Amino acid sequence: MPTYTLAQVSAHKTTASCWVIIRNKVYDVTDFLFDHPGGPQVIVDFGGQDATAAYVPIHPSDALDKNIAPEKHLGGLDEASIRELSQAKDNKVKTKDQLRVEEAGKNKPPLSRIINVRDMEETAKKILPYKAMAYYASAADDSITHIENARAFSRFFFHPRVMRAISGCDTSTTMLGYKTSIPVYISGSALARLGHPLGEVNLTRGAYKTSIIQMVSTNASLSYGRIASARGSPEQPIFFQLYKHKNDKTAAKRIREVEALGYKAIFLTVDALVPSNRELDTRAPHYLEDFESQGPNHGRNSQPEQGETEILGTAGGLIINNDVDMTWERTIPWIRSITKLPIVIKGIQCVADAVLAAEAGCEGIVLSNHGGRQLEYSLPPVEVLHKLRKERPDVFDKTEVYIDGGVRRGTDVLKALCLGAKTVGLGRAFLYAQSAYGEAGVIHLVRILQREIKFGMESLGVRSIDQLVPEMVERVNWQAAVASKL
């Protein structure tokens, strides 16, 4: 295998010839520049340089093999260049944000002091790198939908039943026939390695040890194979969240790959086809620039800049190759022709589409607005669930109904189940848990939810999930008090 010096690599830093170094290996990425989901500039910025630190946290280990032709894997660095890079890494001055993260990590509370979902979120936000925090926490526009997703649960109150035997309360249920210890699953979320080096593996191992189900995102930061191999046993169920690629051959290859790896269902994402306006994520580079220089740098260039503001952020590039022309008539039959796996439509936001999904024979639907990260003012999923229960209760007999978005408490889970949801997904909460405490954080979060769900069931007068019925909840037309931190 040929070897190259840093000087040789540095000569290739334009769109005409662009090489990068990743893990001491040299790649010619020229032909891939304009196919890159995040656009060519983000690669050209690292042209002729070592891009390892920027590349590794957000790309699966097999991404280069899948996207760069074998002949463009040019070779490795020579020994002198490897030593030079290693020395430069050792001598590199840490950024203010890195120093902040180190200090926050030393002072984070012991896991035993994390007693609810909000505690986990608040702790993680303090110790995450700012870029990771901004990506995880960002929501669309003014974050109104994100806020209302959670607030909507406070408009539903219980009708508990008393004088009912509740010993032996069982919080377990099933999802597509697979047993789960609580009616909660890990919703598909991208880029877990932004928060922790093991990323999605923490989620997989935590799910196994607590007997819940993990959904893996198309945009996971580890390869689908690496995640599958982290399962505690081959029988551990994992589901796949599919962002369908606009190229059918690419999409079919991805579906066949995960099916061969043992994934048990396809969750087709339909509510995030185009990049949205997530301003916290978009502003992250600007914030970091000002933070590192100890103040705004707006006046450095007195000349007005030309061109549009870049709003893709970390998130935008992930979905830029999505199929924006999916239809009920074509897409569902096409997926059926590729795989025998059950199909769940993730991102239903109105009753009419829930009905169409059921009529299309889909095995499940997820009522979701993508965590408030896409269209501002899309209805909170629990409100859609309530409307579906009132207007088309027959849908619950035709397909399994799930919900995600805004869940913070075991009582939120129980309200959704009373209205007919089979299980409830949490995404950000598990990202925060694994970011702050790794696998142990995931396990702890499940235990918190299990405790709250069990208490809620006992207080409602039920022993099993199937005893939760619509008559146990009522939607009120007034807004409950905002929860306070005691």
Side-chain angles (χ1 to χ4, degrees):
M1 179 181 290
T3 59
Y4 299 86
T5 66
L6 290 175
Q8 288 175 308
V9 175
S10 67
H12 301 269
K13 55 185 178 182
T14 67
T15 54
S17 179
C18 188
W19 294 7
V20 295
I21 301 164
I22 297 173
R23 293 193 177 105
N24 296 328
K25 293 184 178 179
V26 182
Y27 300 88
D28 181 350
V29 294
T30 311
D31 295 341
F32 179 66
L33 288 176
F34 292 93
D35 291 326
H36 182 245
Q41 192 57 49
V42 68
I43 299 180
V44 174
D45 286 345
F46 287 96
Q49 304 174 61
D50 182 14
T52 303
Y55 175 89
V56 168
I58 59 174
H59 293 86
S61 59
D62 59 354
L64 289 165
D65 293 331
K66 287 181 175 180
N67 294 289
I68 307 299
E71 64 270 18
K72 301 297 183 179
H73 295 226
L74 302 180
L77 289 177
D78 64 2
E79 289 299 323
S81 296
I82 292 174
R83 286 195 298 272
E84 185 176 341
L85 281 182
S86 179
Q87 185 175 9
K89 182 180 178 181
D90 292 339
N91 294 336
K92 187 176 181 180
V93 176
K94 292 180 179 179
T95 66
K96 290 184 175 65
D97 194 54
Q98 288 172 328
L99 293 171
R100 176 194 63 79
V101 168
E102 287 183 3
E103 189 63 24
K106 294 175 184 176
N107 295 314
K108 73 180 178 183
L111 198 50
S112 60
R113 293 192 180 185
I114 305 298
I115 64 172
N116 60 40
V117 172
R118 292 185 189 276
D119 286 350
M120 191 71 80
E121 177 177 344
E122 291 172 7
T123 299
K125 284 181 175 179
K126 292 175 183 176
I127 66 175
L128 277 166
Y130 188 83
K131 180 180 178 181
M133 186 283 296
Y135 171 66
Y136 291 166
S138 63
D141 293 358
D142 299 306
S143 298
I144 291 169
T145 302
H146 172 56
I147 293 168
E148 287 298 326
N149 280 354
R151 262 182 26 121
F153 281 100
S154 70
R155 293 190 284 272
F156 291 85
F157 279 71
F158 291 118
H159 291 294
R161 300 305 303 271
V162 298
M163 297 295 289
R164 291 185 171 187
I166 57 171
S167 61
C169 182
D170 181 8
T171 61
S172 69
T173 187
T174 61
M175 187 175 184
L176 296 175
Y178 297 97
K179 189 169 182 178
T180 174
S181 62
I182 59 173
V184 169
Y185 64 91
I186 301 174
S187 195
S189 303
L191 306 184
R193 289 192 70 206
L194 282 178
H196 191 285
L198 291 179
E200 288 81 6
V201 164
N202 285 326
L203 303 176
T204 308
R205 291 172 177 169
Y208 175 73
K209 291 182 178 178
T210 55
S211 298
I212 68 168
I213 297 172
Q214 175 193 15
M215 184 197 305
V216 176
S217 172
T218 292
N219 298 314
S221 51
L222 293 172
S223 70
Y224 313 141
R226 175 72 182 90
I227 296 168
S229 68
R231 289 177 294 173
S233 78
E235 288 72 41
Q236 179 184 349
I238 48 176
F239 298 154
F240 187 69
Q241 179 197 14
L242 175 67
Y243 286 85
K244 185 186 173 297
H245 198 281
K246 60 188 177 184
N247 183 301
D248 281 356
K249 289 183 179 179
T250 301
K253 184 178 179 181
R254 185 171 287 161
I255 293 170
R256 292 189 178 109
E257 177 187 358
V258 297
E259 184 171 16
L261 287 168
Y263 288 72
K264 301 301 185 183
I266 299 296
F267 281 64
L268 176 66
T269 298
V270 295
D271 60 349
L273 303 186
V274 294
S276 62
N277 185 40
R278 306 180 191 179
E279 293 179 1
L280 183 64
D281 186 29
T282 301
R283 295 182 196 276
H286 313 151
Y287 170 86
L288 287 171
E289 182 180 355
D290 291 346
F291 182 59
E292 297 302 324
S293 61
Q294 295 185 325
N297 286 309
H298 312 313
R300 287 175 305 169
N301 185 351
S302 60
Q303 297 299 316
E305 295 182 7
Q306 301 296 316
E308 294 185 6
T309 301
E310 174 57 65
I311 64 165
L312 280 180
T314 303
L318 298 175
I319 58 178
I320 205 166
N321 284 323
N322 284 356
D323 186 347
V324 298
D325 293 316
M326 293 189 294
T327 65
W328 296 108
E329 296 78 15
R330 189 190 83 85
T331 307
I332 306 305
W334 178 82
I335 296 176
R336 292 278 187 216
S337 74
I338 301 298
T339 180
K340 301 291 187 184
L341 295 177
I343 299 171
V344 179
I345 305 300
K346 182 181 184 298
I348 297 293
Q349 299 166 80
C350 66
V351 172
D353 281 340
V355 173
L356 288 175
E359 291 175 347
C362 296
E363 284 79 3
I365 58 174
V366 183
L367 307 182
S368 173
N369 55 31
H370 219 77
R373 290 160 77 85
Q374 286 297 116
L375 177 64
E376 188 78 294
Y377 294 104
S378 51
L379 270 177
V382 72
E383 294 283 10
V384 179
L385 179 66
H386 181 246
K387 286 172 66 67
L388 184 62
R389 169 55 68 187
K390 288 199 308 179
E391 298 173 16
R392 290 299 300 264
D394 58 301
V395 168
F396 295 91
D397 298 322
K398 297 175 181 177
T399 190
E400 292 194 359
V401 178
Y402 318 118
I403 179 177
D404 71 26
V407 176
R408 297 290 184 273
R409 288 285 187 182
T411 49
D412 296 338
V413 175
L414 294 174
K415 291 172 186 179
L417 267 60
C418 286
L419 290 170
K422 186 76 171 173
T423 56
V424 173
L426 281 80
R428 287 183 180 94
F430 282 105
L431 285 178
Y432 291 136
Q434 73 91 28
S435 296
Y437 297 98
E439 177 186 329
V442 176
I443 295 170
H444 190 71
L445 184 65
V446 174
R447 298 302 180 219
I448 289 171
L449 291 167
Q450 187 169 37
R451 182 190 72 236
E452 292 185 354
I453 291 168
K454 184 173 184 289
F455 168 79
M457 289 175 64
E458 292 168 337
S459 300
L460 283 167
V462 303
R463 276 176 164 168
S464 60
I465 297 296
D466 60 3
Q467 292 177 348
L468 295 166
V469 293
E471 292 75 23
M472 288 182 167
V473 290
E474 176 182 346
R475 188 189 186 282
V476 300
N477 60 5
W478 41 270
Q479 183 64 57
V482 177
S484 61
K485 179 85 173 177
L486 297 179

